[in-house]
């Protein structure tokens, strides 16, 4: 299995960099004490995230404005926003980010703390390679919480495998098909950056998340870094 970023993507975002973590042998079922621990860590990360959204409306903060500008570079579903905007909007409004499962909780913490988009896919549920690409249009996609297919639009940036889209509109919404669950044992975690300042924070997030995975879930993550000069990685035997 490869994780690759296509030339069509780089034409839109030549300065982007994608940071990956791959893990295997994960036990993602929460232990009894995880809920209280996760709630405290998520609240702490939310306080850190507040530093990135001091201005109202939320669009007046650079981290949000940068991602909105990025989304204007390609066709998007109406109302689609970056995952980091969605998280920081909750932070700004004082709404709690609730615990979901240990892996998702840890990457949400890091996402808020460093104000970078972070997502993950269950590699056992992926069909063939993963591509960060520009959609032809019509790629099948069942969003989290939905009951009907919501196919990609022509020209939309997203993540795809042989069976369709696994994350639409860059980092807006994950698919049910490859989502992280308590049964997930092997996964790829994706952290995205589109400018130099974001790249620094994304690398810090990658390093911190690797440490958190080792500390709390007892798994060793392999780190990868994709750029226009290094656009793919072979995931076989890497997780």
């Amino acid at each position: 299995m490869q994780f690759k970023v296509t030339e069509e993507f780089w034409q839109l975002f030549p300065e982007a960099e994608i940071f990956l973590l791959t893990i295997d042998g994960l036990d993602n079922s929460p232990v009894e004490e995880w809920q209280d621990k996760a709630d405290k860590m998520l609240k702490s990360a939310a306080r850190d995230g507040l530093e990135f959204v001091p201005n109202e409306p939320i669009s007046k903060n650079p981290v949000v404005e940068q991602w909105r500008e990025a989304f204007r570079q390609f066709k998007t579903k109406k109302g689609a926003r970056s995952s980091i905007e969605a998280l920081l909007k909750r932070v700004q409004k004082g709404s709690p980010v609730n615990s979901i499962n240990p892996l998702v909780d840890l990457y949400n913490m890091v996402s808020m703390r460093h104000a970078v988009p972070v997502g993950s896919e269950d590699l056992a549920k992926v069909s063939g390679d993963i591509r960060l690409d520009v959609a032809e249009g019509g790629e099948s996609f069942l969003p989290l919480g939905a009951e009907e297919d919501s196919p990609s639009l022509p020209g939309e940036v997203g993540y795809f495998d042989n069976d369709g889209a696994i994350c639409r509109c860059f980092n807006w919404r994950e698919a049910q098909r490859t989502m992280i669950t308590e049964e997930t044992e092997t996964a790829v975690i994706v952290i995205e950056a589109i400018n130099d300042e974001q790249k620094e924070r994304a690398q810090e997030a990658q390093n911190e998340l690797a440490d958190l995975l080792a500390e709390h879930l007892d798994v060793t993550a392999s780190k990868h870094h994709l750029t226009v000069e290094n656009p793919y990685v072979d995931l076989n035997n890497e997780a």
Side-chain angles (χ1 to χ4, degrees):
M1 178 189 292
Q2 287 189 340
F3 189 110
K4 50 191 176 184
V5 185
T6 69
E7 180 61 30
E8 289 77 10
F9 172 85
W10 296 121
Q11 288 174 2
L12 290 173
F13 299 105
E15 303 301 318
E17 296 187 10
I18 309 298
F19 297 81
L20 304 180
L21 292 166
T22 52
I23 52 176
D24 195 13
L26 172 67
D27 180 357
N28 200 36
S29 55
V31 294
E32 185 175 347
E33 64 270 18
W34 177 254
Q35 186 72 54
D36 287 342
K37 183 188 298 185
D39 287 343
K40 291 176 183 177
M41 295 172 70
L42 285 163
K43 287 178 182 177
S44 175
R47 288 193 294 271
D48 292 337
L50 267 177
E51 297 179 10
F52 294 94
V53 285
N55 305 317
E56 291 198 35
I58 198 167
S59 60
K60 297 300 181 182
N61 296 283
V63 66
V64 172
E65 187 176 27
Q66 290 164 11
W67 277 104
R68 287 200 181 185
E69 176 58 30
F71 273 44
R72 286 191 282 269
Q73 306 305 307
F74 58 91
K75 184 72 173 177
T76 63
K77 182 177 173 64
K78 185 176 180 180
R81 302 295 189 197
S82 68
S83 65
I84 189 57
E85 177 174 343
L87 266 182
L88 293 180
K89 190 172 184 178
R90 294 179 67 87
V91 166
Q92 193 183 61
K93 290 181 176 296
S95 301
V97 176
N98 297 319
S99 174
I100 298 173
N101 59 58
L103 176 55
V104 174
D105 294 346
L106 290 176
Y107 77 64
N108 278 339
M109 293 172 203
V110 168
S111 182
M112 288 187 287
R113 189 168 290 136
H114 298 277
V116 290
V118 186
S120 186
E121 310 296 342
D122 187 323
L123 286 175
K125 301 173 183 176
V126 172
S127 175
D129 296 334
I130 298 175
R131 307 183 323 275
L132 175 53
D133 200 358
V134 176
E136 294 181 3
E139 289 89 349
S140 178
F141 179 79
L142 185 63
L144 289 178
E147 296 181 355
E148 296 182 356
D149 193 44
S150 179
S152 298
L153 300 170
E156 177 184 325
V157 167
Y159 292 85
F160 305 90
D161 69 0
N162 290 348
D163 290 342
I166 58 178
C167 187
R168 279 194 60 187
C169 296
F170 212 157
N171 48 46
W172 164 60
R173 189 67 56 83
E174 295 279 351
Q176 289 187 39
R177 177 167 59 87
T178 57
M179 71 180 185
I180 301 299
T181 70
E182 293 182 10
E183 288 73 43
T184 296
E185 296 181 352
T186 181
V188 60
I189 303 164
V190 184
I191 306 170
E192 299 142 335
I194 51 174
N195 61 39
D196 287 341
E197 188 255 348
Q198 287 185 16
K199 291 171 192 175
E200 183 176 346
R201 289 188 279 112
Q203 188 161 38
E204 291 171 351
Q206 183 191 46
N207 291 334
E208 181 178 357
L209 186 51
D211 291 343
L212 288 171
L213 290 166
E215 178 182 354
H216 296 285
L217 300 182
D218 195 28
V219 290
T220 300
S222 296
K223 299 178 185 178
H224 309 281
H225 178 207
L226 303 185
T227 66
V228 67
E229 293 87 10
N230 180 39
Y232 71 92
V233 61
D234 188 346
L235 298 183
N236 292 330
N237 302 318
E238 286 288 345

